[in-house]
Amino acid sequence: FGCIVGKVRLLACLSLRDVRFGRVPKVLEWVQFHQATEGPWCFVLDRAKPFEKPLSCLGERGLWLPPAEVLASLPVDFAETD
């Protein structure tokens, strides 16, 4: 069982090695010290927005595209970037 509970914006994808050695854009320096920073990849997300009702969907590891029937049932404003 799984579900999609909302959407986020992927702001950056950084290797943990670069993060640990401070090789990140100045605006993302805070990532070095964040408690949830772990790897091997560090996905920096923002603009999290939960859906009113979770959508049933089996997921996969990593970033993936949901099946067409699930995409068709997403809220109308899903593609908006607010």
Side-chain angles (χ1 to χ4, degrees):
F1 176 78
C3 62
I4 299 174
V5 297
K7 70 176 185 174
V8 296
R9 180 176 71 158
L10 176 61
L11 191 61
C13 177
L14 309 167
S15 78
L16 188 60
R17 177 181 293 252
D18 286 345
V19 171
R20 293 290 180 234
F21 287 104
R23 296 186 300 245
V24 296
K26 190 157 186 73
V27 70
L28 295 175
E29 286 179 339
W30 61 269
V31 173
Q32 292 177 267
F33 311 104
H34 194 278
Q35 65 185 13
T37 299
E38 53 185 67
W41 294 100
C42 179
F43 297 110
V44 182
L45 310 173
D46 74 347
R47 297 185 184 174
K49 182 178 177 185
F51 293 151
E52 287 185 27
K53 180 178 154 190
L55 298 170
S56 182
C57 179
L58 293 177
E60 297 180 25
R61 295 180 126 217
L63 301 177
W64 56 278
L65 187 61
E69 62 273 9
V70 173
L71 289 173
S73 66
L74 291 172
V76 174
D77 69 344
F78 178 77
E80 292 178 7
T81 58
D82 16 72

